[in-house]
């Protein structure tokens, strides 16, 4: 699903308000730690994929495909993958 500019701006505004609420409730630090942990897990998985010598195609298609899937498994989508975009 592609979002309009208006929808993107609304999502940003909602995100800002949520951050303010979490900060006021003293929960922002816990959320930041959870996000950092998830980011490190994704980067570690990408590193394992890049180091996987069993994926030997010259153009690295299989490696790139596995990286995209690792990102998607964490809810990070790209329009470059099979023309698919997902948000929320």
């Amino acid at each position: 699903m592609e979002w309009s500019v208006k929808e993107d701006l609304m999502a940003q505004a909602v995100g800002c308000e949520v951050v303010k609420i979490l900060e006021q409730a003293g929960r922002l630090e816990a959320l930041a730690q959870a996000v950092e942990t998830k980011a490190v897990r994704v980067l570690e998985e990408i590193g394992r994929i890049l180091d996987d010598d069993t994926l030997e195609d010259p153009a690295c298609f299989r490696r790139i495909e596995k990286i995209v899937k690792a990102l998607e498994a964490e809810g990070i989508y790209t329009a470059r993958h099979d023309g698919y975009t997902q948000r929320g």
Side-chain angles (χ1 to χ4, degrees):
M1 169 178 97
E2 299 257 349
W3 282 9
S4 68
V5 171
K6 182 179 178 181
E7 290 167 324
D8 277 333
L9 292 172
M10 286 191 309
Q12 289 175 18
V14 168
C16 288
E17 291 304 312
V18 169
V19 167
K20 288 177 190 174
I21 291 167
L22 290 170
E23 190 171 42
Q24 290 170 354
R27 300 291 300 150
L28 190 58
E29 184 62 31
L31 178 62
Q33 287 176 332
V35 168
E36 183 176 334
T37 299
K38 185 175 184 176
V40 169
R41 271 196 333 265
V42 170
L43 291 173
E44 287 172 344
E45 176 66 13
I46 290 170
R48 281 191 293 277
I49 291 165
L50 292 172
D51 291 338
D52 184 351
D53 290 333
T54 65
L55 305 171
E56 297 182 3
D57 63 308
C60 296
F61 176 80
R62 285 187 216 107
R63 290 178 199 231
I64 293 166
E65 183 70 13
K66 287 186 80 170
I67 290 169
V68 170
K69 287 183 181 199
L71 292 171
E72 288 176 347
E74 295 297 332
I76 303 167
Y77 300 93
T78 174
R80 296 292 233 158
H81 187 235
D82 295 333
Y84 180 72
T85 302
Q86 179 175 336
R87 296 199 184 189

